[in-house]
Amino acid sequence: MYFFAVLFSFLSYFKASISVTSTGQYVVVQHHVLLGWSQELENIDRIQCLLTCSRKIYCFSVNYNRQDKICQINKQMREDATRYFLANTSYDYIEKVINGHFKIHGVYFMAGEEDYESAVELCSNHLGSIASYEQLYYAFQPSLKNCTEGWLISGEIAFTEITDTCTLKQPEQRSNVFPCKRYESGVYCHMEYSPSALDYLPTAQRIIRLTDSNQKKLSAEDSEICCSTKFSGHLATPLDVYNNTLSLGVNLCEAGWLSRWLAGNPCKGHAPLDFWLYPTGNKIHFKKATNEYSAFCLVPLANRTLSNPDPFPSHRVMNGEGESSYSLNYYDAYDFCMSRGGRMATRAEVEYAWQSGYDRCQAGWVTSGEVIYPTVEPRTGCGYFPSINSWGFKNMSTYSSSVYCYML
């Protein structure tokens, strides 16, 4: 009797956070939770629950209560539990390990316009589970005709990087988008329920590509908010994106938001030694914050040391607007540079940048009130020889131009 009283007290203490199941004679507690439960987080979504687990070395699995939005972080895997393990149906039990022995024909596509939670439920209702990228990759064959966008268990949308031939990249080299807001799509399901096949993110890919929703990209501010709040990351530097593309083979070669509200395509141009020189320096610069692009989000992973290289070249001069926009008078240009963490550049600083190889075919204000632009490579419309091209001193209140900022 004393033993059962102690057991009853013990179970009552954990009732708020551990689900139990009655068999009529026994109350069976999830054994892996009793042995390994380590943290409970409230008011987060399923993806954030998985992200939290992925960053903790000791976390091997999670229980996610969809109704109450409670995430339980576990140190123990289900295989370590007793044969009496019973899961509460209100919880999603997800293991972080990846099973590399998937059946060849175990994945099928279900068409529809589902958000993520509905996609998970749709697979479950058809006696399956939402598939991981690895399962899709190993099951892929042309006869499946499966180059249609669809949800995966990681929260990414499959096949968003396909541009021509229907192919799948190796898991560590993919660059499918992760939606920031409601996204509706079909879903890829795995025919045999295999919760140990969780695919969270590629272990070697630290940069993910964000989008807003089905038909919309992201503004600069929305990019920062989505990256930091939904994925606990920060916008990547141009060099981060370049290195991921070149060294890991992850296809991030497109224009997108970068750190400090820079935007552009870091892949176009030369190697990092002359990364900011012509023509690459022409591909990355400040854009209007309301412009909409994809965004490159740097997501910290467990047991990784992340370096954050300075996103600006050694001469620290950066053009302040896009390719064809001339909308700033002198005072607006001054405020623009201050708002981006710098100040308006002097002519001497632009000249030094030009001597270092900086090339921009866009005229902009400098502190003296002159409007200039540096060209290294002669080309039509930009000058016939390397020089600092000047449009002269302009009326600071009425003349509109771009601006050259010196980044502090």
Side-chain angles (χ1 to χ4, degrees), residues 14-33:
F14 281 91
K15 184 177 181 181
S17 59
I18 299 177
S19 56
V20 299
T21 305
S22 173
T23 63
Q25 293 179 316
Y26 303 100
V27 175
V28 180
V29 182
Q30 297 180 22
H31 188 57
H32 75 290
V33 175

Side-chain angles (χ1 to χ4, degrees), residues 268-289:
K268 288 186 178 179
H270 298 166
L273 289 178
D274 53 1
F275 193 64
W276 290 95
L277 309 186
Y278 178 84
T280 314
N282 237 14
K283 303 299 181 183
I284 306 167
H285 37 258
F286 288 118
K287 292 285 191 178
K288 290 183 179 179

Side-chain angles (χ1 to χ4, degrees), residues 59-61 77 79 94-100 102 194-199:
C59 176
F60 290 98
S61 61
M77 289 186 289
E79 280 80 354
I94 308 163
E95 290 171 357
K96 198 170 74 172
V97 296
I98 293 177
N99 177 3
F102 303 120
S194 178
S196 63
L198 169 67
D199 162 39

Side-chain angles (χ1 to χ4, degrees), residues 114-115 149 151 157 179 181-185 211 213-214:
E114 313 290 338
D115 61 17
E149 287 193 1
W151 286 106
I157 309 295
K181 295 182 182 177
R182 182 180 177 89
Y183 199 104
E184 294 181 344
S185 177
T211 191
S213 54
N214 289 67

Side-chain angles (χ1 to χ4, degrees), residues 264-340:
N265 186 343
C267 303
K268 288 186 178 179
H270 298 166
L273 289 178
D274 53 1
F275 193 64
W276 290 95
L277 309 186
Y278 178 84
T280 314
N282 237 14
K283 303 299 181 183
I284 306 167
H285 37 258
F286 288 118
K287 292 285 191 178
K288 290 183 179 179
T290 54
N291 286 5
E292 293 183 349
Y293 304 101
S294 296
F296 300 117
C297 180
L298 187 66
V299 180
L301 298 182
N303 199 27
R304 295 283 183 87
T305 301
L306 300 180
S307 60
N308 298 296
D310 191 332
F312 299 107
S314 58
H315 55 73
R316 309 201 68 76
V317 170
M318 183 60 53
N319 183 250
E321 285 195 299
E323 293 293 340
S324 60
S325 178
Y326 292 92
S327 62
L328 303 174
N329 67 24
Y330 181 90
Y331 305 104
D332 291 337
Y334 179 90
D335 291 340
F336 178 94
C337 291
M338 295 292 289
S339 71
R340 300 303 174 92

Side-chain angles (χ1 to χ4, degrees), residues 346-367:
T346 67
R347 180 187 173 99
E349 287 165 342
V350 176
E351 287 181 348
Y352 176 75
W354 169 66
Q355 292 168 358
S356 301
Y358 186 53
D359 182 295
R360 289 290 290 134
C361 188
Q362 177 149 306
W365 292 103
V366 291
T367 55

